[in-house]
Amino acid sequence: MWVIIVYDINEKRVAKVLKYLRRYLNWIQNSVFEGELTYAELKKVKSGLKRLMNTQEDSVIIFSSSLSNDYKKEIIGLDKAKETQIL
Amino acid sequence: MWVIIVYDINEKRVAKVLKYLRRYLNWIQNSVFEGELTYAELKKVKSGLKRLMNTQEDSVIIFSSSLSNDYKKEIIGLDKAKETQIL
């Protein structure tokens, strides 16, 4: 399953969310991750995010599609994933 | 066609990009738009973005899928689109 996660997280918590998501998905732009997950992995990521977030202040949107090869991805300008090697 | 646009734009230019994209898509979170476009509209939006951006500094990623009803969208925490009425 193809997944995109975008988030708007309070700066007190965002580093932990970034670190957590990097274990499962690819960072492609500020506050944007993308990648392939199984249903079980996605379930796990959701509960992990809920633990790290404050759901009264923070916002996460998860797009998923079972037809992974159907979507198209185009980059205009910088490819931040290539530009920025996250250590 | 279902489209998600995420962007990382220099603050000198970001207000113009925000205003431009609101004419075609729905703002759903900081630097994230979503909506339905025809091929012609998407082509128009891409060239409009290129005019507004500095492709050496800024980054736009466009996800599109012809199977609009296949994708799933889940929000954890705040639904920023509802929270924030952009005037």
Side-chain angles (χ1 to χ4, degrees):
Chain A
M1 194 168 43
W2 159 75
V3 175
I4 297 175
I5 294 184
V6 297
Y7 57 82
D8 188 352
I9 304 276
N10 184 298
E11 57 184 18
K12 290 176 289 186
R13 292 179 288 277
V14 71
K16 279 188 182 159
V17 167
L18 176 70
K19 203 174 161 197
Y20 178 73
L21 289 176
R22 270 171 40 206
R23 288 164 40 191
Y24 295 94
L25 295 165
N26 307 307
W27 181 94
I28 55 171
Q29 198 183 81
N30 286 348
S31 308
V32 184
F33 277 82
E34 179 202 25
E36 289 282 333
L37 293 179
T38 63
Y39 279 102
E41 286 168 334
L42 179 55
K43 216 173 153 199
K44 200 173 163 192
V45 166
K46 283 188 227 173
S47 57
L49 284 171
K50 282 174 192 160
R51 273 198 315 275
L52 294 171
M53 295 166 63
N54 174 333
T55 53
Q56 304 304 315
E57 286 183 25
D58 303 330
S59 172
V60 169
I61 303 176
I62 301 172
F63 297 97
S64 56
S65 167
S66 48
L67 299 170
S68 308
N69 45 19
D70 168 69
Y71 84 99
K72 203 172 143 195
K73 175 180 160 190
E74 284 175 84
I75 294 172
I76 303 175
L78 294 183
D79 180 344
K80 290 271 178 163
K82 275 194 198 133
E83 296 288 321
T84 322
Q85 286 305 325
I86 301 181
L87 304 175
Chain B
M1 194 168 43
W2 160 75
V3 174
I4 299 175
I5 294 184
V6 297
Y7 57 82
D8 188 353
I9 304 277
N10 184 297
E11 58 184 19
K12 288 177 290 187
R13 292 179 289 277
V14 71
K16 278 188 184 160
V17 168
L18 176 69
K19 201 172 162 197
Y20 178 73
L21 289 176
R22 270 171 40 208
R23 287 164 40 192
Y24 295 93
L25 295 164
N26 307 307
W27 179 93
I28 55 172
Q29 198 182 81
N30 285 349
S31 307
V32 184
F33 277 81
E34 177 202 26
E36 290 281 332
L37 293 178
T38 63
Y39 280 100
E41 286 168 333
L42 179 55
K43 215 174 155 197
K44 201 174 164 191
V45 166
K46 284 187 226 172
S47 57
L49 285 171
K50 283 173 191 160
R51 273 200 314 276
L52 294 171
M53 293 167 64
N54 173 332
T55 53
Q56 305 303 314
E57 287 182 25
D58 304 330
S59 172
V60 168
I61 303 176
I62 300 173
F63 297 97
S64 55
S65 167
S66 49
L67 299 171
S68 307
N69 46 20
D70 169 68
Y71 84 97
K72 204 172 140 196
K73 175 180 163 188
E74 283 176 86
I75 295 173
I76 303 176
L78 294 182
D79 179 344
K80 290 272 179 165
K82 271 193 203 135
E83 296 287 322
T84 324
Q85 285 303 326
I86 300 180
L87 303 176

